[in-house]
PDB file of all heavy atoms in Angstrom:
ATOM      1  N   GLU A  34      46.230 143.216  76.987  1.00 98.00           N
ATOM      2  CA  GLU A  34      45.412 142.006  76.969  1.00 98.00           C
ATOM      3  C   GLU A  34      44.303 142.049  77.994  1.00 98.00           C
ATOM      4  O   GLU A  34      43.146 141.724  77.799  1.00 98.00           O
ATOM      5  CB  GLU A  34      46.246 140.705  77.106  1.00 98.00           C
ATOM      6  CG  GLU A  34      45.493 139.391  76.982  1.00 98.00           C
ATOM      7  CD  GLU A  34      44.847 139.284  75.607  1.00 98.00           C
ATOM      8  OE1 GLU A  34      45.398 139.653  74.573  1.00 98.00           O
ATOM      9  OE2 GLU A  34      43.734 138.656  75.654  1.00 98.00           O
ATOM     10  N   GLN A  35      44.700 142.479  79.215  1.00 98.00           N
ATOM     11  CA  GLN A  35      43.815 142.548  80.298  1.00 98.00           C
ATOM     12  C   GLN A  35      42.668 143.595  80.035  1.00 98.00           C
ATOM     13  O   GLN A  35      41.448 143.404  80.306  1.00 98.00           O
ATOM     14  CB  GLN A  35      44.432 142.895  81.654  1.00 98.00           C
ATOM     15  CG  GLN A  35      45.292 141.705  82.147  1.00 98.00           C
ATOM     16  CD  GLN A  35      46.138 142.100  83.311  1.00 98.00           C
ATOM     17  OE1 GLN A  35      46.507 143.260  83.497  1.00 98.00           O
ATOM     18  NE2 GLN A  35      46.491 141.114  84.122  1.00 98.00           N
ATOM     19  N   ALA A  36      43.010 144.738  79.430  1.00 97.00           N
ATOM     20  CA  ALA A  36      42.102 145.811  79.083  1.00 97.00           C
ATOM     21  C   ALA A  36      41.143 145.329  77.983  1.00 97.00           C
ATOM     22  O   ALA A  36      39.913 145.569  78.047  1.00 97.00           O
ATOM     23  CB  ALA A  36      42.852 147.020  78.530  1.00 97.00           C
ATOM     24  N   TRP A  37      41.649 144.646  76.965  1.00 96.00           N
ATOM     25  CA  TRP A  37      40.792 144.096  75.910  1.00 96.00           C
ATOM     26  C   TRP A  37      39.765 143.086  76.487  1.00 96.00           C
ATOM     27  O   TRP A  37      38.573 142.998  76.201  1.00 96.00           O
ATOM     28  CB  TRP A  37      41.571 143.389  74.772  1.00 96.00           C
ATOM     29  CG  TRP A  37      42.005 144.358  73.727  1.00 96.00           C
ATOM     30  CD1 TRP A  37      43.205 144.869  73.554  1.00 96.00           C
ATOM     31  CD2 TRP A  37      41.177 144.967  72.717  1.00 96.00           C
ATOM     32  NE1 TRP A  37      43.220 145.759  72.466  1.00 96.00           N
ATOM     33  CE2 TRP A  37      42.032 145.817  71.972  1.00 96.00           C
ATOM     34  CE3 TRP A  37      39.864 144.853  72.403  1.00 96.00           C
ATOM     35  CZ2 TRP A  37      41.511 146.592  70.925  1.00 96.00           C
ATOM     36  CZ3 TRP A  37      39.321 145.603  71.355  1.00 96.00           C
ATOM     37  CH2 TRP A  37      40.163 146.433  70.643  1.00 96.00           C
ATOM     38  N   ALA A  38      40.314 142.186  77.339  1.00 97.00           N
ATOM     39  CA  ALA A  38      39.421 141.096  78.011  1.00 97.00           C
ATOM     40  C   ALA A  38      38.299 141.782  78.791  1.00 97.00           C
ATOM     41  O   ALA A  38      37.154 141.413  78.755  1.00 97.00           O
ATOM     42  CB  ALA A  38      40.249 140.277  78.881  1.00 97.00           C
ATOM     43  N   ALA A  39      38.661 142.827  79.581  1.00 97.00           N
ATOM     44  CA  ALA A  39      37.708 143.599  80.377  1.00 97.00           C
ATOM     45  C   ALA A  39      36.601 144.270  79.470  1.00 97.00           C
ATOM     46  O   ALA A  39      35.416 144.157  79.768  1.00 97.00           O
ATOM     47  CB  ALA A  39      38.340 144.600  81.259  1.00 97.00           C
ATOM     48  N   SER A  40      37.101 144.798  78.410  1.00 96.00           N
ATOM     49  CA  SER A  40      36.213 145.499  77.378  1.00 96.00           C
ATOM     50  C   SER A  40      35.234 144.437  76.834  1.00 96.00           C
ATOM     51  O   SER A  40      34.063 144.710  76.725  1.00 96.00           O
ATOM     52  CB  SER A  40      37.054 146.129  76.314  1.00 96.00           C
ATOM     53  OG  SER A  40      36.218 146.854  75.431  1.00 96.00           O
ATOM     54  N   PHE A  41      35.759 143.369  76.376  1.00 94.00           N
ATOM     55  CA  PHE A  41      34.930 142.269  75.742  1.00 94.00           C
ATOM     56  C   PHE A  41      33.907 141.778  76.777  1.00 94.00           C
ATOM     57  O   PHE A  41      32.695 141.584  76.450  1.00 94.00           O
ATOM     58  CB  PHE A  41      35.700 141.195  75.207  1.00 94.00           C
ATOM     59  CG  PHE A  41      36.219 141.393  73.751  1.00 94.00           C
ATOM     60  CD1 PHE A  41      37.589 141.806  73.611  1.00 94.00           C
ATOM     61  CD2 PHE A  41      35.397 141.342  72.681  1.00 94.00           C
ATOM     62  CE1 PHE A  41      37.978 142.054  72.302  1.00 94.00           C
ATOM     63  CE2 PHE A  41      35.814 141.576  71.412  1.00 94.00           C
ATOM     64  CZ  PHE A  41      37.203 141.943  71.217  1.00 94.00           C
ATOM     65  N   GLU A  42      34.382 141.506  78.037  1.00 96.00           N
ATOM     66  CA  GLU A  42      33.423 141.002  78.992  1.00 96.00           C
ATOM     67  C   GLU A  42      32.306 142.076  79.366  1.00 96.00           C
ATOM     68  O   GLU A  42      31.272 141.689  79.722  1.00 96.00           O
ATOM     69  CB  GLU A  42      34.257 140.674  80.320  1.00 96.00           C
ATOM     70  CG  GLU A  42      35.104 139.413  80.159  1.00 96.00           C
ATOM     71  CD  GLU A  42      35.955 139.176  81.292  1.00 96.00           C
ATOM     72  OE1 GLU A  42      35.762 139.748  82.380  1.00 96.00           O
ATOM     73  OE2 GLU A  42      36.934 138.415  81.185  1.00 96.00           O
ATOM     74  N   ALA A  43      32.631 143.311  79.216  1.00 97.00           N
ATOM     75  CA  ALA A  43      31.640 144.362  79.553  1.00 97.00           C
ATOM     76  C   ALA A  43      30.723 144.653  78.502  1.00 97.00           C
ATOM     77  O   ALA A  43      29.725 145.440  78.733  1.00 97.00           O
ATOM     78  CB  ALA A  43      32.424 145.578  80.068  1.00 97.00           C
ATOM     79  N   THR A  44      30.996 144.099  77.314  1.00 97.00           N
ATOM     80  CA  THR A  44      30.064 144.384  76.145  1.00 97.00           C
ATOM     81  C   THR A  44      28.819 143.584  76.238  1.00 97.00           C
ATOM     82  O   THR A  44      28.889 142.429  76.365  1.00 97.00           O
ATOM     83  CB  THR A  44      30.857 144.118  74.757  1.00 97.00           C
ATOM     84  OG1 THR A  44      32.029 144.839  74.786  1.00 97.00           O
ATOM     85  CG2 THR A  44      30.056 144.445  73.610  1.00 97.00           C
ATOM     86  N   THR A  45      27.758 144.259  76.119  1.00 97.00           N
ATOM     87  CA  THR A  45      26.410 143.504  76.216  1.00 97.00           C
ATOM     88  C   THR A  45      25.998 142.965  74.866  1.00 97.00           C
ATOM     89  O   THR A  45      26.544 143.304  73.833  1.00 97.00           O
ATOM     90  CB  THR A  45      25.300 144.466  76.651  1.00 97.00           C
ATOM     91  OG1 THR A  45      25.150 145.456  75.616  1.00 97.00           O
ATOM     92  CG2 THR A  45      25.679 145.187  78.022  1.00 97.00           C
ATOM     93  N   ASP A  46      25.050 142.007  74.939  1.00 97.00           N
ATOM     94  CA  ASP A  46      24.522 141.452  73.700  1.00 97.00           C
ATOM     95  C   ASP A  46      23.970 142.549  72.789  1.00 97.00           C
ATOM     96  O   ASP A  46      24.116 142.522  71.517  1.00 97.00           O
ATOM     97  CB  ASP A  46      23.446 140.402  73.973  1.00 97.00           C
ATOM     98  CG  ASP A  46      24.071 139.105  74.544  1.00 97.00           C
ATOM     99  OD1 ASP A  46      25.344 138.942  74.439  1.00 97.00           O
ATOM    100  OD2 ASP A  46      23.361 138.291  75.046  1.00 97.00           O
ATOM    101  N   ALA A  47      23.281 143.522  73.394  1.00 97.00           N
ATOM    102  CA  ALA A  47      22.683 144.611  72.539  1.00 97.00           C
ATOM    103  C   ALA A  47      23.846 145.404  71.914  1.00 97.00           C
ATOM    104  O   ALA A  47      23.651 145.837  70.769  1.00 97.00           O
ATOM    105  CB  ALA A  47      21.810 145.537  73.449  1.00 97.00           C
ATOM    106  N   GLN A  48      24.887 145.630  72.592  1.00 97.00           N
ATOM    107  CA  GLN A  48      26.019 146.340  71.948  1.00 97.00           C
ATOM    108  C   GLN A  48      26.626 145.522  70.818  1.00 97.00           C
ATOM    109  O   GLN A  48      26.967 146.057  69.707  1.00 97.00           O
ATOM    110  CB  GLN A  48      27.097 146.737  73.014  1.00 97.00           C
ATOM    111  CG  GLN A  48      26.625 147.702  73.963  1.00 97.00           C
ATOM    112  CD  GLN A  48      27.600 147.882  75.139  1.00 97.00           C
ATOM    113  OE1 GLN A  48      28.066 146.917  75.677  1.00 97.00           O
ATOM    114  NE2 GLN A  48      27.962 149.130  75.519  1.00 97.00           N
ATOM    115  N   TRP A  49      26.754 144.202  70.974  1.00 97.00           N
ATOM    116  CA  TRP A  49      27.291 143.336  69.956  1.00 97.00           C
ATOM    117  C   TRP A  49      26.351 143.409  68.756  1.00 97.00           C
ATOM    118  O   TRP A  49      26.848 143.523  67.539  1.00 97.00           O
ATOM    119  CB  TRP A  49      27.462 141.952  70.354  1.00 97.00           C
ATOM    120  CG  TRP A  49      28.622 141.703  71.319  1.00 97.00           C
ATOM    121  CD1 TRP A  49      28.518 141.218  72.550  1.00 97.00           C
ATOM    122  CD2 TRP A  49      29.995 141.882  70.966  1.00 97.00           C
ATOM    123  NE1 TRP A  49      29.749 141.137  73.153  1.00 97.00           N
ATOM    124  CE2 TRP A  49      30.736 141.491  72.187  1.00 97.00           C
ATOM    125  CE3 TRP A  49      30.713 142.278  69.923  1.00 97.00           C
ATOM    126  CZ2 TRP A  49      32.104 141.555  72.176  1.00 97.00           C
ATOM    127  CZ3 TRP A  49      32.090 142.343  69.901  1.00 97.00           C
ATOM    128  CH2 TRP A  49      32.807 141.924  71.047  1.00 97.00           C
ATOM    129  N   ASP A  50      25.038 143.341  69.014  1.00 97.00           N
ATOM    130  CA  ASP A  50      24.037 143.418  67.957  1.00 97.00           C
ATOM    131  C   ASP A  50      24.117 144.764  67.213  1.00 97.00           C
ATOM    132  O   ASP A  50      24.018 144.767  65.921  1.00 97.00           O
ATOM    133  CB  ASP A  50      22.642 143.239  68.456  1.00 97.00           C
ATOM    134  CG  ASP A  50      22.387 141.852  69.027  1.00 97.00           C
ATOM    135  OD1 ASP A  50      23.185 140.928  68.631  1.00 97.00           O
ATOM    136  OD2 ASP A  50      21.372 141.597  69.753  1.00 97.00           O
ATOM    137  N   GLN A  51      24.356 145.792  67.947  1.00 98.00           N
ATOM    138  CA  GLN A  51      24.383 147.193  67.278  1.00 98.00           C
ATOM    139  C   GLN A  51      25.700 147.283  66.395  1.00 98.00           C
ATOM    140  O   GLN A  51      25.649 147.742  65.301  1.00 98.00           O
ATOM    141  CB  GLN A  51      24.471 148.252  68.320  1.00 98.00           C
ATOM    142  CG  GLN A  51      24.547 149.651  67.770  1.00 98.00           C
ATOM    143  CD  GLN A  51      24.613 150.655  68.885  1.00 98.00           C
ATOM    144  OE1 GLN A  51      24.548 150.426  70.085  1.00 98.00           O
ATOM    145  NE2 GLN A  51      24.543 151.932  68.497  1.00 98.00           N
ATOM    146  N   MET A  52      26.874 146.727  66.915  1.00 96.00           N
ATOM    147  CA  MET A  52      28.049 146.648  66.112  1.00 96.00           C
ATOM    148  C   MET A  52      27.833 145.854  64.878  1.00 96.00           C
ATOM    149  O   MET A  52      28.304 146.292  63.767  1.00 96.00           O
ATOM    150  CB  MET A  52      29.245 146.164  66.945  1.00 96.00           C
ATOM    151  CG  MET A  52      29.793 147.207  67.928  1.00 96.00           C
ATOM    152  SD  MET A  52      31.235 146.554  68.746  1.00 96.00           S
ATOM    153  CE  MET A  52      30.572 145.592  70.037  1.00 96.00           C
ATOM    154  N   ALA A  53      27.204 144.734  64.918  1.00 97.00           N
ATOM    155  CA  ALA A  53      26.957 143.874  63.802  1.00 97.00           C
ATOM    156  C   ALA A  53      26.069 144.585  62.731  1.00 97.00           C
ATOM    157  O   ALA A  53      26.380 144.555  61.518  1.00 97.00           O
ATOM    158  CB  ALA A  53      26.303 142.581  64.241  1.00 97.00           C
ATOM    159  N   GLU A  54      25.034 145.250  63.218  1.00 97.00           N
ATOM    160  CA  GLU A  54      24.220 145.948  62.308  1.00 97.00           C
ATOM    161  C   GLU A  54      24.998 147.158  61.640  1.00 97.00           C
ATOM    162  O   GLU A  54      24.735 147.361  60.483  1.00 97.00           O
ATOM    163  CB  GLU A  54      22.956 146.503  63.057  1.00 97.00           C
ATOM    164  CG  GLU A  54      22.033 147.265  62.172  1.00 97.00           C
ATOM    165  CD  GLU A  54      21.582 146.515  60.919  1.00 97.00           C
ATOM    166  OE1 GLU A  54      21.417 145.217  60.892  1.00 97.00           O
ATOM    167  OE2 GLU A  54      21.502 147.148  59.825  1.00 97.00           O
ATOM    168  N   THR A  55      25.774 147.843  62.410  1.00 96.00           N
ATOM    169  CA  THR A  55      26.584 148.851  61.780  1.00 96.00           C
ATOM    170  C   THR A  55      27.459 148.291  60.680  1.00 96.00           C
ATOM    171  O   THR A  55      27.606 148.886  59.593  1.00 96.00           O
ATOM    172  CB  THR A  55      27.448 149.553  62.896  1.00 96.00           C
ATOM    173  OG1 THR A  55      26.585 150.102  63.847  1.00 96.00           O
ATOM    174  CG2 THR A  55      28.411 150.658  62.310  1.00 96.00           C
ATOM    175  N   ALA A  56      28.087 147.158  60.897  1.00 94.00           N
ATOM    176  CA  ALA A  56      28.972 146.518  59.923  1.00 94.00           C
ATOM    177  C   ALA A  56      28.089 146.132  58.657  1.00 94.00           C
ATOM    178  O   ALA A  56      28.530 146.367  57.497  1.00 94.00           O
ATOM    179  CB  ALA A  56      29.763 145.353  60.489  1.00 94.00           C
ATOM    180  N   ARG A  57      26.939 145.540  58.882  1.00 95.00           N
ATOM    181  CA  ARG A  57      26.038 145.148  57.863  1.00 95.00           C
ATOM    182  C   ARG A  57      25.639 146.327  56.947  1.00 95.00           C
ATOM    183  O   ARG A  57      25.581 146.298  55.774  1.00 95.00           O
ATOM    184  CB  ARG A  57      24.852 144.410  58.330  1.00 95.00           C
ATOM    185  CG  ARG A  57      25.046 142.972  58.826  1.00 95.00           C
ATOM    186  CD  ARG A  57      23.791 142.262  59.210  1.00 95.00           C
ATOM    187  NE  ARG A  57      24.014 141.244  60.095  1.00 95.00           N
ATOM    188  CZ  ARG A  57      23.864 141.249  61.433  1.00 95.00           C
ATOM    189  NH1 ARG A  57      23.331 142.353  61.995  1.00 95.00           N
ATOM    190  NH2 ARG A  57      24.185 140.214  62.139  1.00 95.00           N
ATOM    191  N   ARG A  58      25.315 147.405  57.629  1.00 95.00           N
ATOM    192  CA  ARG A  58      24.912 148.646  56.989  1.00 95.00           C
ATOM    193  C   ARG A  58      26.059 149.171  56.071  1.00 95.00           C
ATOM    194  O   ARG A  58      25.845 149.508  54.913  1.00 95.00           O
ATOM    195  CB  ARG A  58      24.442 149.709  57.919  1.00 95.00           C
ATOM    196  CG  ARG A  58      23.869 151.003  57.205  1.00 95.00           C
ATOM    197  CD  ARG A  58      23.419 152.019  58.209  1.00 95.00           C
ATOM    198  NE  ARG A  58      22.849 151.524  59.465  1.00 95.00           N
ATOM    199  CZ  ARG A  58      23.345 151.715  60.696  1.00 95.00           C
ATOM    200  NH1 ARG A  58      24.590 152.334  60.756  1.00 95.00           N
ATOM    201  NH2 ARG A  58      22.916 151.225  61.750  1.00 95.00           N
ATOM    202  N   ALA A  59      27.269 149.227  56.617  1.00 93.00           N
ATOM    203  CA  ALA A  59      28.405 149.636  55.873  1.00 93.00           C
ATOM    204  C   ALA A  59      28.655 148.759  54.669  1.00 93.00           C
ATOM    205  O   ALA A  59      29.001 149.342  53.531  1.00 93.00           O
ATOM    206  CB  ALA A  59      29.622 149.657  56.756  1.00 93.00           C
ATOM    207  N   ILE A  60      28.458 147.520  54.798  1.00 91.00           N
ATOM    208  CA  ILE A  60      28.616 146.605  53.660  1.00 91.00           C
ATOM    209  C   ILE A  60      27.557 146.896  52.636  1.00 91.00           C
ATOM    210  O   ILE A  60      27.847 147.000  51.425  1.00 91.00           O
ATOM    211  CB  ILE A  60      28.629 145.142  54.098  1.00 91.00           C
ATOM    212  CG1 ILE A  60      29.870 144.830  54.999  1.00 91.00           C
ATOM    213  CG2 ILE A  60      28.519 144.154  52.906  1.00 91.00           C
ATOM    214  CD1 ILE A  60      29.803 143.503  55.778  1.00 91.00           C
ATOM    215  N   ARG A  61      26.324 147.025  53.026  1.00 93.00           N
ATOM    216  CA  ARG A  61      25.192 147.272  52.107  1.00 93.00           C
ATOM    217  C   ARG A  61      25.408 148.571  51.336  1.00 93.00           C
ATOM    218  O   ARG A  61      25.073 148.695  50.189  1.00 93.00           O
ATOM    219  CB  ARG A  61      23.839 147.389  52.860  1.00 93.00           C
ATOM    220  CG  ARG A  61      23.181 146.114  53.173  1.00 93.00           C
ATOM    221  CD  ARG A  61      21.729 146.353  53.575  1.00 93.00           C
ATOM    222  NE  ARG A  61      21.550 147.367  54.687  1.00 93.00           N
ATOM    223  CZ  ARG A  61      21.575 147.061  55.992  1.00 93.00           C
ATOM    224  NH1 ARG A  61      21.796 145.896  56.393  1.00 93.00           N
ATOM    225  NH2 ARG A  61      21.412 147.988  56.830  1.00 93.00           N
ATOM    226  N   GLU A  62      25.929 149.599  52.070  1.00 94.00           N
ATOM    227  CA  GLU A  62      26.095 150.940  51.442  1.00 94.00           C
ATOM    228  C   GLU A  62      27.486 151.052  50.791  1.00 94.00           C
ATOM    229  O   GLU A  62      27.840 152.123  50.350  1.00 94.00           O
ATOM    230  CB  GLU A  62      25.946 151.990  52.526  1.00 94.00           C
ATOM    231  CG  GLU A  62      24.546 151.977  53.164  1.00 94.00           C
ATOM    232  CD  GLU A  62      24.441 152.955  54.389  1.00 94.00           C
ATOM    233  OE1 GLU A  62      25.484 153.494  54.820  1.00 94.00           O
ATOM    234  OE2 GLU A  62      23.303 153.041  54.944  1.00 94.00           O
ATOM    235  N   SER A  63      28.234 149.961  50.699  1.00 89.00           N
ATOM    236  CA  SER A  63      29.567 149.891  50.062  1.00 89.00           C
ATOM    237  C   SER A  63      30.444 150.972  50.602  1.00 89.00           C
ATOM    238  O   SER A  63      31.213 151.714  49.877  1.00 89.00           O
ATOM    239  CB  SER A  63      29.452 150.143  48.520  1.00 89.00           C
ATOM    240  OG  SER A  63      28.677 149.040  48.048  1.00 89.00           O
ATOM    241  N   THR A  64      30.346 151.295  51.940  1.00 91.00           N
ATOM    242  CA  THR A  64      31.321 152.239  52.559  1.00 91.00           C
ATOM    243  C   THR A  64      32.475 151.600  53.237  1.00 91.00           C
ATOM    244  O   THR A  64      33.213 152.220  54.035  1.00 91.00           O
ATOM    245  CB  THR A  64      30.608 153.093  53.532  1.00 91.00           C
ATOM    246  OG1 THR A  64      29.913 152.266  54.521  1.00 91.00           O
ATOM    247  CG2 THR A  64      29.530 153.929  52.860  1.00 91.00           C
ATOM    248  N   THR A  65      32.717 150.287  52.931  1.00 88.00           N
ATOM    249  CA  THR A  65      33.749 149.512  53.583  1.00 88.00           C
ATOM    250  C   THR A  65      35.030 149.614  52.646  1.00 88.00           C
ATOM    251  O   THR A  65      34.814 149.954  51.453  1.00 88.00           O
ATOM    252  CB  THR A  65      33.349 148.048  53.839  1.00 88.00           C
ATOM    253  OG1 THR A  65      33.069 147.453  52.516  1.00 88.00           O
ATOM    254  CG2 THR A  65      32.277 147.922  54.785  1.00 88.00           C
ATOM    255  N   THR A  66      36.136 149.432  53.192  1.00 88.00           N
ATOM    256  CA  THR A  66      37.311 149.331  52.350  1.00 88.00           C
ATOM    257  C   THR A  66      37.752 147.894  52.149  1.00 88.00           C
ATOM    258  O   THR A  66      37.863 147.089  53.105  1.00 88.00           O
ATOM    259  CB  THR A  66      38.488 150.054  53.066  1.00 88.00           C
ATOM    260  OG1 THR A  66      38.127 151.364  53.289  1.00 88.00           O
ATOM    261  CG2 THR A  66      39.790 149.972  52.344  1.00 88.00           C
ATOM    262  N   PRO A  67      37.889 147.451  50.946  1.00 86.00           N
ATOM    263  CA  PRO A  67      38.227 146.042  50.675  1.00 86.00           C
ATOM    264  C   PRO A  67      39.630 145.764  51.326  1.00 86.00           C
ATOM    265  O   PRO A  67      40.503 146.596  51.417  1.00 86.00           O
ATOM    266  CB  PRO A  67      38.438 145.939  49.152  1.00 86.00           C
ATOM    267  CG  PRO A  67      37.601 147.094  48.642  1.00 86.00           C
ATOM    268  CD  PRO A  67      37.731 148.100  49.685  1.00 86.00           C
ATOM    269  N   LEU A  68      39.730 144.587  51.934  1.00 88.00           N
ATOM    270  CA  LEU A  68      40.890 144.189  52.667  1.00 88.00           C
ATOM    271  C   LEU A  68      42.191 144.362  51.836  1.00 88.00           C
ATOM    272  O   LEU A  68      43.270 144.803  52.349  1.00 88.00           O
ATOM    273  CB  LEU A  68      40.785 142.651  53.123  1.00 88.00           C
ATOM    274  CG  LEU A  68      41.788 142.240  54.181  1.00 88.00           C
ATOM    275  CD1 LEU A  68      41.770 143.046  55.374  1.00 88.00           C
ATOM    276  CD2 LEU A  68      41.533 140.775  54.472  1.00 88.00           C
ATOM    277  N   GLU A  69      42.110 144.012  50.600  1.00 89.00           N
ATOM    278  CA  GLU A  69      43.341 144.115  49.732  1.00 89.00           C
ATOM    279  C   GLU A  69      43.724 145.557  49.476  1.00 89.00           C
ATOM    280  O   GLU A  69      44.833 145.878  49.109  1.00 89.00           O
ATOM    281  CB  GLU A  69      43.138 143.395  48.296  1.00 89.00           C
ATOM    282  CG  GLU A  69      42.034 143.851  47.503  1.00 89.00           C
ATOM    283  CD  GLU A  69      40.729 143.160  47.815  1.00 89.00           C
ATOM    284  OE1 GLU A  69      40.572 142.445  48.765  1.00 89.00           O
ATOM    285  OE2 GLU A  69      39.746 143.383  47.020  1.00 89.00           O
ATOM    286  N   HIS A  70      42.769 146.541  49.689  1.00 89.00           N
ATOM    287  CA  HIS A  70      43.101 147.906  49.617  1.00 89.00           C
ATOM    288  C   HIS A  70      43.770 148.451  50.906  1.00 89.00           C
ATOM    289  O   HIS A  70      44.726 149.299  50.846  1.00 89.00           O
ATOM    290  CB  HIS A  70      41.906 148.774  49.247  1.00 89.00           C
ATOM    291  CG  HIS A  70      41.412 148.535  47.863  1.00 89.00           C
ATOM    292  ND1 HIS A  70      40.200 149.103  47.381  1.00 89.00           N
ATOM    293  CD2 HIS A  70      41.740 147.695  46.853  1.00 89.00           C
ATOM    294  CE1 HIS A  70      40.050 148.747  46.201  1.00 89.00           C
ATOM    295  NE2 HIS A  70      40.927 147.835  45.801  1.00 89.00           N
ATOM    296  N   ALA A  71      43.264 147.951  51.965  1.00 89.00           N
ATOM    297  CA  ALA A  71      43.833 148.318  53.285  1.00 89.00           C
ATOM    298  C   ALA A  71      45.211 147.650  53.542  1.00 89.00           C
ATOM    299  O   ALA A  71      46.087 148.268  54.138  1.00 89.00           O
ATOM    300  CB  ALA A  71      42.921 147.880  54.396  1.00 89.00           C
TER     301      ALA A  71
END
Side-chain angles (χ1 to χ4, degrees):
E34 183 61 33
Q35 291 170 334
W37 273 106
S40 181
F41 276 104
E42 289 174 16
T44 304
T45 66
D46 287 344
Q48 289 170 319
W49 287 118
D50 291 344
Q51 182 180 2
M52 284 187 275
E54 181 50 38
T55 299
R57 286 187 202 102
R58 185 177 329 109
I60 292 167
R61 275 193 312 271
E62 296 172 358
S63 297
T64 58
T65 59
T66 300
L68 191 58
E69 60 272 10
H70 292 178

